[in-house]
């Protein structure tokens, strides 16, 4: 893993932008996208740039189950608000959190990932080391699946909702096996709450206890972390 340490999320977003710019220039046309607060500075850079994604595909990692796309808390709404209204992709895909048939939705997403292999996958990391919504204990070979969120993730994500009881308990997520298929992976981590997850991901054992440690198996990973998130790394 290549680790780039930056001052803060602003500087990190600028570095991440450069990775997108280079990938696009080199012919990458399928971008795996993420939500949460972490990629926001990257999306600000992408939105303000003249990069042209009109011939590119975007595929998001995950979506809450039980929310309509139009729900302001959905990841559909997040992507629209933070990126897609500024940058149009040829096609943008997210799991359908309102799908009636869960198994059919999982199959649809896996087929999309076969049709559009991800060239560059953007990731954040949860405080417990989750990537996408793959919580500790997830198999490293799993494809798209339905996930029961852990209590710690529900608590962490409750800051985006009026009340913790409004946070959905389930989500669709690409699996770790799906994520590892990407040609290149870019993970961003900012703030002291991510420090334990960052050291476990990079210098801890390869273990399902830290889902992000699976990235140690991937040949082309860039981690951009700010000083606070990188504070526990030992050199
Ligand atoms: C959420 C998302 C992840 C994200 C993580 C960290 O649960 N499903 O994709 O990386 O939590 O969120 P944040 O960036 O807001 O800290």
């Amino acid at each position: 893993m290549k680790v780039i340490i930056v001052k803060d999320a602003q500087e990190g977003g600028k570095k991440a932008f450069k990775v997108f710019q280079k990938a696009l220039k080199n012919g990458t046309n399928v971008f795996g996208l993420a939500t949460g607060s972490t990629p926001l500075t990257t999306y600000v850079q992408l939105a303000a740039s003249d990069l042209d994604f009109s011939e590119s595909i975007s595929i998001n990692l995950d979506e809450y189950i039980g929310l309509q796309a139009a729900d302001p808390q959905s990841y559909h709404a997040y992507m629209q608000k933070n990126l897609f209204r500024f940058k149009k992709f040829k096609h943008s895909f997210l799991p359908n959190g309102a799908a009636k048939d869960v198994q059919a939705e999982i199959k649809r997403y896996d087929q999309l990932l076969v049709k559009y292999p991800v060239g560059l996958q953007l990731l954040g990391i949860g405080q417990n080391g989750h990537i996408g919504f793959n919580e500790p204990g997830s198999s490293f070979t799993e494809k798209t699946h339905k996930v029961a969120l852990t209590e710690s993730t529900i608590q962490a994500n409750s800051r985006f909702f009026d009340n913790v009881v409004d946070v959905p308990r389930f989500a669709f997520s690409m699996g770790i096996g799906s994520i590892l298929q990407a040609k290149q992976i870019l993970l961003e981590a900012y703030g002291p709450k991510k420090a334990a997850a960052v050291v476990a991901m990079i210098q801890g054992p390869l273990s399902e206890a830290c889902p992000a440690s699976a990235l140690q198996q991937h040949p082309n990973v860039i981690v951009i972390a700010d000083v606070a998130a990188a504070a526990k790394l030992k050199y």
Side-chain angles (χ1 to χ4, degrees), residues 3-168:
V3 183
I4 300 173
I5 298 178
V6 294
K7 183 164 60 89
D8 55 20
Q10 303 303 325
E11 192 186 334
K14 288 180 187 159
K15 293 265 188 230
F17 168 77
K18 295 272 182 213
V19 176
F20 271 80
Q21 187 178 40
K22 189 170 170 196
L24 192 64
K25 187 164 166 251
N26 290 343
T28 294
N29 68 342
V30 182
F31 294 86
L33 300 179
T35 53
S37 49
T38 304
L40 286 174
T41 54
T42 305
Y43 293 153
V44 166
Q45 295 294 322
L46 290 172
S49 75
D50 59 2
L51 294 190
D52 180 6
F53 290 101
S54 62
E55 291 302 316
S56 302
I57 304 292
S58 73
I59 306 191
N60 264 74
L61 279 171
D62 47 15
E63 176 61 286
Y64 290 116
I65 290 181
L67 299 187
Q68 300 288 333
D71 189 303
Q73 309 294 357
S74 74
Y75 286 167
H76 278 78
Y78 168 104
M79 291 308 301
Q80 192 56 36
K81 179 175 172 213
N82 294 302
L83 187 62
F84 296 156
R85 69 189 165 114
F86 306 109
K87 281 289 165 199
K88 297 273 175 277
F89 286 70
K90 187 171 181 188
H91 295 295
S92 286
F93 300 105
L94 287 96
N96 174 10
K100 292 269 178 294
D101 184 337
V102 167
Q103 287 315 316
E105 179 57 12
I106 287 170
K107 192 170 167 199
R108 178 186 79 92
Y109 223 63
D110 280 340
Q111 286 173 344
L112 272 176
L113 287 164
V114 171
K115 186 171 177 191
Y116 300 115
V118 173
L120 174 62
Q121 176 67 56
L122 181 62
L123 295 177
I125 184 168
Q127 292 173 37
N128 61 5
H130 75 239
I131 47 175
F133 268 129
N134 297 284
E135 300 281 16
S138 303
S139 147
F140 286 180
T141 55
E142 208 164 21
K143 299 294 170 102
T144 307
H145 57 295
K146 177 182 172 179
V147 191
L149 305 185
T150 62
E151 196 49 41
S152 75
T153 298
I154 291 167
Q155 290 298 334
N157 288 5
S158 66
R159 70 189 191 278
F160 299 114
F161 292 79
D162 291 338
N163 194 307
V164 68
V165 299
D166 298 333
V167 185

